[in-house]
Amino acid sequence: LNMLNELQSLSETLEQMSQYSQTTYAASLIGKEIVASSDGTLLAQGEVTGMEVSGSDVYLIVDDNYIPLEYVTQVTQTAAESE
């Protein structure tokens, strides 16, 4: 029973670390240009202006649209960053 509790605790810790990593990554994308797609369909393309966390889901804000982080397929610098 103790081993089961330790495994459950480890699982919760890994989930928290994953959430923190995703949040940190999403924050680092603010000001960058992204392309997001799902099953070959373009969902968004443009500059990330913000992010939001809702439960365990992380969203990027692009042109006032909330795009799930897992749909990002490309990240590039904005023209201002590359100068």
Side-chain angles (χ1 to χ4, degrees):
L1 186 63
N2 189 32
M3 179 66 110
L4 180 61
N5 288 339
E6 287 181 23
L7 287 173
Q8 185 174 9
S9 177
L10 178 61
S11 176
E12 290 171 4
T13 300
L14 289 173
E15 188 173 319
Q16 290 171 349
M17 289 175 64
S18 175
Q19 178 72 26
Y20 176 76
S21 177
Q22 288 182 3
T23 303
T24 302
Y25 179 58
S28 77
L29 294 177
I30 295 173
K32 301 228 185 288
E33 298 280 336
I34 63 114
V35 173
S37 61
S38 175
D39 295 326
T41 302
L42 180 66
L43 300 176
Q45 182 172 357
E47 184 177 347
V48 177
T49 56
M51 57 156 294
E52 185 169 307
V53 177
S54 178
S56 62
D57 297 320
V58 179
Y59 298 92
L60 300 176
I61 303 170
V62 178
D63 295 328
D64 295 326
N65 295 307
Y66 288 72
I67 308 300
L69 180 62
E70 64 263 20
Y71 293 147
V72 173
T73 56
Q74 183 178 2
V75 178
T76 57
Q77 292 182 339
T78 61
E81 284 184 319
S82 59
E83 293 178 354

